[in-house]
Amino acid sequence: MAILDLIKNRVSSKSFIDKEIDEIILNNILEAGRLAPSAKNRQPWRFISISDPGVKKILLDACFGAETIKTADKIIAVCTTNINYNMPNGQPAHVFDLSVATAFMMMQAEHEGVGSCIVTTYNEELIRELLTVPFSMRVFSLLALGYTAVDKSNEIFKERKSLKDVHNKEHW
Ligand SMILES: Cc1cc2nc3c(=O)[nH]c(=O)nc-3n(C[C@H](O)[C@H](O)[C@H](O)COP(=O)(O)O)c2cc1C
């Protein structure tokens, strides 16, 4: 599928069906994150994939019982390894870097027919403890993955601002 069609097709999946994601597919998704660009190529990320039911149960509590986490087959905790580097424009690099890596993983998931949803509604301290994330590092976000029962045969309506509202030529 053409990239723009993949982008148009993708939606955040809020619940998943009971179907396992193949290890090869999961690795392809992780590969997409690994190969993402980052400021100064510092690659300040650690991806922790979670599928163990016991770990998922505790994770679910830390996510306040979110259906997305409850039904996800796999969850990738997107963690930082370095939050101290600022880009030449003065803005923190890790926010940009981990967002790009997450977007790459989401698009690979879409290509593989796997649904995804970024989850940022959680108690970070509980997750840090659960996943033994070192003290100076952060759990940036969770990426819930699974198969969905959503019928994508009809065109998906994207609630987005129009291009003319978000794009100007030559000046603001
Ligand atoms: C930075 C970020 C944080 C998000 N956090 C959550 C979240 O905590 N829980 C959730 O269900 N969805 C979360 N989402 C998904 C957004 O709600 C969703 O992307 C947005 O409503 C647009 O819908 P779409 O992804 O289906 O196009 C998050 C998305 C982004 C980009």
Side-chain angles (χ1 to χ4, degrees):
M1 202 187 283
I3 302 261
L4 192 55
D5 288 331
L6 275 181
I7 290 169
K8 285 178 180 169
N9 256 303
R10 186 211 57 80
V11 289
S12 291
S13 307
K14 302 290 176 171
S15 74
F16 302 97
I17 58 171
D18 188 14
K19 183 178 171 188
E20 212 174 305
I21 300 169
D22 192 273
E23 206 60 32
I24 294 171
I25 291 178
L26 178 67
N27 278 341
N28 288 344
I29 294 169
L30 290 164
E31 241 339 57
R34 184 182 74 83
L35 294 170
S38 59
K40 284 233 168 128
N41 200 21
R42 293 166 70 94
Q43 306 161 63
W45 44 59
R46 180 69 57 96
F47 309 124
I48 303 176
S49 60
I50 300 150
S51 53
D52 180 85
V55 178
K56 277 163 75 179
K57 197 165 176 291
I58 303 169
L59 191 65
L60 181 61
D61 285 342
C63 295
F64 314 106
E67 183 71 12
T68 320
I69 296 297
K70 187 178 182 180
T71 55
D73 179 59
K74 306 269 189 300
I75 298 145
I76 299 173
V78 179
C79 303
T80 61
T81 56
N82 183 315
I83 57 171
N84 299 323
Y85 178 66
N86 281 352
M87 298 181 286
N89 65 10
Q91 295 171 30
H94 75 276
V95 177
F96 205 123
D97 295 336
L98 273 70
S99 299
V100 173
T102 303
F104 272 43
M105 289 195 282
M106 289 175 89
M107 293 321 299
Q108 182 62 30
E110 187 66 29
H111 173 71
E112 302 279 359
V114 171
S116 67
C117 187
I118 296 170
V119 174
T120 52
T121 310
Y122 51 72
N123 180 324
E124 187 183 357
E125 277 319 303
L126 290 181
I127 299 181
R128 289 166 57 84
E129 201 176 313
L130 175 69
L131 305 179
T132 59
V133 175
F135 178 69
S136 56
M137 300 174 195
R138 304 224 36 195
V139 182
F140 181 73
S141 67
L142 302 174
L143 185 61
L145 297 168
Y147 291 96
T148 62
V150 175
D151 176 12
K152 289 192 174 179
S153 54
N154 298 320
E155 202 178 319
I156 290 167
F157 173 69
K158 287 256 178 208
E159 198 181 326
R160 296 291 196 269
K161 294 174 183 172
S162 70
L163 191 54
K164 80 173 171 40
D165 286 339
V166 299
H167 168 238
N168 293 354
K169 283 187 176 166
E170 319 305 348
H171 62 86
W172 184 287

